[in-house]
Amino acid sequence: MVSDNAPIPFGRPMLDSDDIDAVVQILSGTTLVHGPVTMSFEQAFADRVGTQHAISVSSCTAALHLSLLVNDIGPGDEVLVPAMTHVATAHAIEYCGAKPVFVDVEDDTGNICPNLVEASLTRRTKAVMVVHFLGLPCDMNRILAIAEECGAFVVEDCALALDATYAGQKSGSLGLTGCFSFYPIKHMTTIEGGMVTTNDESTARAITQRKAFGYDKSLGERTKPGIYDVSALGYNYRMNEVEAAIGLAQLSKLDGHQTARAANYRVLRECLQECENVTVFEPAKNESISSHYCLNAILPRDGSIDRDAVVSDLKAAGIGTSVHYPRAVPSTQYYREKYGYRDGQFPIAEWMAAKTISLPVGPHVGPGDAERIGVAFKAAIETARRGTTTD
């Protein structure tokens, strides 16, 4: 049954009284940072992902930066990164003074292409940053094997991939580190915040130090209050107790939210199967399971369907959309001017940037809403086709 015509935003924070109560409890106490709730959240998240360590940080960008920094990525090094991702993935490489080497993506998943990864290796390649695009797992066995051959390590950008699985393993447990985002409309939120997961003890220890100014002793390790040394250049990348408390409350509801996402995705995907020449990426390798962040519908390359017209019709129907992402990263002004990239160098990423419409499937999409989105999308596509034909 189709629901009423209330607006459906692309995303919405899923906060309730449990989250509010968790915040009030922290604010009613005396510890706002360096506290036990943050440690509990880290342990619970590590258990969820299936890693030995989880280190809370201020954002996924901080997680990506620290993953490279503590493993000695710096000037003269190259890090391979997909051309289609959020710009933060590439920025983290720039923060280290290293060079991002962009690699085009697969036309059936949007993930970094392993064949092109192999072709892009040089003696300066020190790491590969993979992005599980919108929660679709990359071909990790192949990428890990390629990286191992050249002595590089792999960082997983899991900003949109919480609970995605590859060959029975959770995203964030496959590379040297996994980097997660808790931005308000992600799978779960801490308002702002992120997490690094890893099974490598030395990496976990180094990230823990570098996220807090480079202190040689954490607050709990100081035998004399206020006495510490600084043994490395560090940053203020910590998560506070309020954010961690929200994170714990969100984790307790995550199973239900993920079930709703998967169900909404299936309904919407079924509706869109009738849309000829509209591409929808699906996981296909090693029994992979998507995190179902959203559904990306990608319009034909030939321009036969006008994206702006479709988005306008969906907006008029009360349906929010987004674009993941509006430009291939090497096509953005900063990277184009710094490295001299030109249009046409990354054809799949450029096609996606020009033709993608991201549709909502989050738990805020209620009963009947996914069907309503699908019906409205099909109608908008047909209207746009007729308009193009008439022109």
Side-chain angles (χ1 to χ4, degrees):
M1 179 178 177
V2 179
S3 66
D4 61 28
N5 291 321
I8 306 171
F10 174 76
R12 191 179 74 200
M14 299 299 290
L15 298 168
D16 59 22
S17 60
D18 291 337
D19 304 282
I20 295 169
D21 290 344
V23 170
V24 170
Q25 186 170 352
I26 297 300
L27 296 179
S28 299
T30 59
T31 304
L32 297 181
V33 294
H34 302 298
V37 176
T38 301
M39 290 187 287
S40 295
F41 179 39
E42 290 172 336
Q43 184 60 60
F45 197 84
D47 292 344
R48 180 92 186 189
V49 174
T51 55
Q52 295 178 26
H53 306 281
I55 307 99
S56 60
V57 289
S58 57
S59 68
C60 185
T61 308
L64 294 165
H65 180 201
L66 291 173
S67 292
L68 298 175
L69 181 75
V70 305
N71 286 289
D72 300 322
I73 297 298
D77 295 334
E78 293 179 352
V79 179
L80 306 189
V81 63
M84 176 47 61
T85 182
H86 190 282
V87 70
T89 317
H91 278 2
I93 302 167
E94 290 278 304
Y95 297 161
C96 294
K99 179 182 178 181
V101 175
F102 294 101
V103 178
D104 209 357
V105 295
E106 299 173 314
D107 63 3
D108 58 347
T109 67
N111 285 324
I112 194 168
C113 176
N115 290 338
L116 294 178
V117 167
E118 197 163 27
S120 301
L121 297 173
T122 72
R123 61 182 180 81
R124 293 185 174 183
T125 304
K126 296 299 189 295
V128 180
M129 296 184 77
V130 301
V131 178
H132 302 299
F133 188 69
L134 302 183
L136 293 172
C138 295
D139 187 355
M140 291 300 293
N141 285 343
R142 180 88 189 282
I143 291 168
L144 288 166
I146 292 169
E148 185 177 5
E149 284 182 11
C150 73
F153 62 91
V154 176
V155 173
E156 298 176 73
D157 184 334
C158 304
L160 303 180
L162 178 57
D163 281 348
T165 62
Y166 174 88
Q169 287 184 262
K170 291 278 186 76
S171 64
S173 68
L174 296 151
L176 178 62
T177 66
C179 302
F180 294 84
S181 171
F182 303 134
Y183 185 73
I185 61 170
K186 297 295 171 62
H187 294 85
M188 57 173 284
T189 187
T190 58
I191 310 306
E192 284 277 14
M195 192 76 76
V196 187
T197 54
T198 185
N199 287 313
D200 186 78
E201 177 69 34
S202 63
T203 294
R205 188 167 53 250
I207 288 175
T208 300
Q209 180 186 28
R210 294 294 193 100
K211 77 169 188 177
F213 301 106
Y215 294 152
D216 67 337
K217 293 182 178 66
S218 68
L219 190 66
E221 294 172 332
R222 299 171 193 170
T223 56
K224 297 180 181 179
I227 303 300
Y228 56 83
D229 201 351
V230 177
S231 56
L233 177 66
Y235 299 82
N236 186 5
Y237 279 170
R238 295 170 301 192
M239 176 179 285
N240 61 56
E241 288 283 276
V242 171
E243 291 170 323
I246 296 172
L248 275 173
Q250 291 272 296
L251 273 178
S252 70
K253 296 172 281 196
L254 187 56
D255 284 343
H257 289 173
Q258 299 292 57
T259 297
R261 283 183 180 275
N264 288 332
Y265 187 96
R266 285 193 297 270
V267 171
L268 186 54
R269 179 71 183 94
E270 183 70 23
C271 288
L272 266 59
Q273 285 182 346
E274 300 174 20
C275 295
E276 187 178 356
N277 296 326
V278 173
T279 300
V280 177
F281 295 149
E282 300 286 357
K285 300 178 177 68
N286 291 281
E287 299 180 350
S288 295
I289 300 172
S290 173
S291 71
H292 303 108
Y293 176 68
C294 68
L295 189 148
N296 248 25
I298 310 178
L299 305 179
R301 307 181 199 205
D302 62 8
S304 58
I305 302 174
D306 183 86
R307 180 170 68 179
D308 289 346
V310 175
V311 169
S312 178
D313 281 0
L314 290 172
K315 182 178 180 181
I319 295 166
T321 62
S322 189
V323 174
H324 290 84
Y325 292 94
R327 288 183 179 272
V329 179
S331 297
T332 59
Q333 181 180 347
Y334 173 82
Y335 289 99
R336 190 175 66 250
E337 291 181 353
K338 181 170 183 177
Y339 295 107
Y341 289 113
R342 304 177 308 279
D343 290 345
Q345 287 185 266
F346 306 93
I348 306 303
E350 291 170 23
W351 162 54
M352 292 170 59
K355 301 300 181 181
T356 285
I357 301 175
S358 301
L359 300 172
V361 301
H364 67 290
V365 175
D369 285 344
E371 181 183 349
R372 176 184 154 200
I373 294 167
V375 169
F377 183 84
K378 287 189 291 184
I381 290 290
E382 289 306 312
T383 299
R385 277 203 178 104
R386 288 196 299 272
T388 302
T389 302
T390 301
D391 290 344

